[in-house]
Amino acid sequence: MNHYPFEWRVQELCSEDFIHFNRQFSKTVLQLMSFAEGPVVIIASGDFNETLHALNKPKYWNQYIKRVLRRRRSALAVERPILFMPVWNSETIIGITVVEGIDAQFAHVLSEEWLRDRSRIISREFLLQKQLAMEPVTGMFNGLHLQDTLEGLLADEPQAYFKRNKKDTTESVLKNVSLFLIEIHPRANNAEKALSYIVRAGYYLESFLGQDVLHHMGNGVFGFIGHHLDEERAKILGENILSWFRREGFSRIHIGINTIEGRVGATDSN
């Protein structure tokens, strides 16, 4: 009996999604709440004090976040027209969406029932967007997510990336970003073995990269964004990846590197 070389994964929202999908999620909130101008901040459950400090947000935000968690419903700040809404994964609150720039004419006519429904709708939209961004063979993010991440970097939106390294500054986050595209050519005599080869290569590459987010665009083409890498350091990393793959028994690997604010370089193995 033949089996597919991968298992279909049930996708659920998690706290890391608020980093990986910050740009998309923020757009979704403003689309579903037309009376708000933003900005939108989505905070994962956990150490809110540390996160608010990193975002340079007022301390009073913390009291409204705690109120949302305690009462399990949205809260409107009295200091300014700012709305705090829970983000749900089933019946568990996994984060808080903070919407600034609420139109004052709407701020005090929003019913509790409407806010409860809107919170659930937004959470469901978040989950759907995550599912659309996943590649089923490897369970990694797909090319659409990689493209959106690049657009966010080029649009000078550092907020989505501040948690990669809490010592980073906005200026350093946006410098020396390199895009790596890695093409794996499987040596296999049937489709099942070829897919197994690609999946195994993806897992090896993911373990090599550590915390860097790996994407699979299909057909054995992987991509990831290297932060704080100028052209020379990106080339060295590419050569290290090639050497590492050879030691693990993989061959026919091609790597293309493009450093933003730099020139394109390429390293091949045939």
Side-chain angles (χ1 to χ4, degrees):
M1 181 177 179
N2 293 328
H3 297 278
Y4 286 107
F6 63 92
E7 295 181 2
W8 187 265
R9 297 166 177 83
V10 177
Q11 301 294 342
E12 295 183 339
L13 283 178
C14 63
S15 59
E16 290 296 314
D17 295 332
F18 303 142
I19 301 174
H20 300 319
F21 296 93
N22 183 278
R23 176 180 168 87
Q24 302 98 309
F25 286 0
S26 297
K27 285 183 176 180
T28 296
V29 172
L30 295 179
Q31 287 170 355
L32 294 174
M33 304 184 71
S34 58
F35 52 84
E37 295 183 357
V40 174
V41 178
I42 306 173
I43 307 174
S45 297
D47 192 344
F48 292 109
N49 285 324
E50 183 177 357
T51 303
L52 294 178
H53 177 73
L55 292 173
N56 196 28
K57 296 300 181 180
K59 292 183 178 180
Y60 73 81
W61 278 31
N62 201 21
Q63 72 182 68
Y64 289 102
I65 290 172
K66 291 180 178 179
R67 183 183 301 179
V68 171
L69 295 174
R70 184 175 66 253
R71 298 182 178 180
R72 296 173 62 83
R73 63 189 186 195
S74 301
L76 182 68
V78 297
E79 290 83 355
R80 295 182 61 187
I82 300 175
L83 183 62
F84 296 79
M85 305 177 67
V87 180
W88 300 90
N89 179 36
S90 186
E91 296 305 314
T92 302
I93 297 177
I94 60 171
I96 305 295
T97 297
V98 185
V99 188
E100 301 184 68
I102 301 291
D103 191 317
Q105 294 181 345
F106 289 90
H108 299 290
V109 298
L110 300 174
S111 69
E112 182 177 322
E113 180 180 2
W114 187 91
L115 289 173
R116 182 177 62 250
D117 291 343
R118 190 62 31 164
S119 174
R120 292 287 184 175
I121 290 172
I122 288 173
S123 299
R124 185 166 63 250
E125 287 295 317
F126 286 176
L127 177 58
L128 290 174
Q129 289 181 353
K130 176 180 180 176
Q131 292 172 339
L132 288 173
M134 307 304 292
E135 194 276 321
V137 170
T138 60
M140 298 173 183
F141 294 120
N142 59 24
L144 291 175
H145 183 267
L146 177 61
Q147 180 180 353
D148 192 86
T149 302
L150 285 171
E151 289 177 355
L153 284 171
L154 296 174
D156 295 337
E157 297 177 2
Q159 180 177 294
Y161 314 99
F162 82 96
K163 290 182 71 174
R164 293 186 186 277
N165 184 342
K166 292 175 182 177
K167 295 180 181 180
D168 288 344
T169 64
T170 298
E171 183 179 7
S172 65
V173 167
L174 296 176
K175 283 185 176 180
N176 299 329
V177 176
S178 294
L179 171 65
F180 291 74
L181 293 179
I182 304 171
E183 185 178 21
I184 310 293
H185 294 272
R187 289 178 174 173
N189 54 15
N190 61 59
E192 183 176 345
K193 289 183 179 180
L195 284 176
S196 296
Y197 188 97
I198 290 171
V199 170
R200 185 162 61 93
Y203 289 159
Y204 274 112
L205 183 57
E206 199 170 38
S207 66
F208 178 86
L209 294 175
Q211 295 183 349
D212 288 317
V213 178
L214 185 63
H215 300 75
H216 184 225
M217 274 68 77
N219 298 319
V221 179
F222 297 90
F224 73 94
I225 299 171
H227 296 263
H228 310 293
L229 293 176
D230 57 21
E231 190 172 359
E232 184 61 30
R233 292 178 64 191
K235 182 179 179 181
I236 292 173
L237 177 58
E239 292 172 346
N240 290 338
I241 292 174
L242 282 178
S243 298
W244 184 81
F245 265 120
R246 293 193 191 103
R247 291 196 300 269
E248 296 296 332
F250 292 88
S251 59
R252 300 180 64 192
I253 310 296
H254 298 84
I255 301 182
I257 306 171
N258 181 37
T259 300
I260 298 175
E261 301 179 356
R263 296 185 302 274
V264 177
T267 308
D268 295 335
S269 172
N270 294 303

